[in-house]
Amino acid sequence: MDDDESLSAWAERLDRKIGRLRAVPLVAGDGPRGTHLAPDAPRVIQLWNGHEWEPHGFAADLAEARRVLHPDSGAVPSPEPAPKLGPGTGRHRKPQAGR
């Protein structure tokens, strides 16, 4: 909570997080902390209930966990085509107007 933020605004911000999911790898010891580490390790899907993370499901590996956490990512194609770039090989080419 920031000093400038009201208590009601802070509570609303926290309530928006209720229902969030996360995937935690099942590894021995402290294990890897990054989601990209141990991609073949099984994952526990957890749900934030407003006070703590509770078990919600299970995924066999990182790829399945990503499909559970983000079911519609990649399913919808980009609505607008990529801009056409001008000639040249530089990193800083700008899209051409009217092309």
Side-chain angles (χ1 to χ4, degrees):
M1 184 171 148
D2 295 332
D3 292 338
D4 299 339
E5 188 175 26
S6 69
L7 185 58
S8 61
W10 175 76
E12 283 180 30
R13 185 170 50 86
L14 288 183
D15 286 346
R16 285 192 303 257
K17 294 179 182 181
I18 293 175
R20 272 199 188 159
L21 296 174
R22 75 174 181 182
V24 179
L26 292 174
V27 292
D30 289 343
R33 303 230 182 241
T35 60
H36 63 287
L37 299 175
D40 296 329
R43 305 293 204 266
V44 172
I45 307 298
Q46 296 178 332
L47 174 78
W48 180 250
N49 68 10
H51 300 286
E52 63 184 0
W53 290 100
E54 59 187 29
H56 180 71
F58 178 79
D61 57 11
L62 177 60
E64 184 179 339
R66 285 184 175 165
R67 285 191 297 273
V68 170
L69 296 178
H70 311 288
D72 53 347
S73 68
V76 179
S78 174
E80 58 187 63
K84 298 196 187 254
L85 298 176
T89 59
R91 296 185 302 163
H92 305 288
R93 291 184 295 163
K94 296 186 178 170
Q96 297 294 313
R99 271 192 158 180

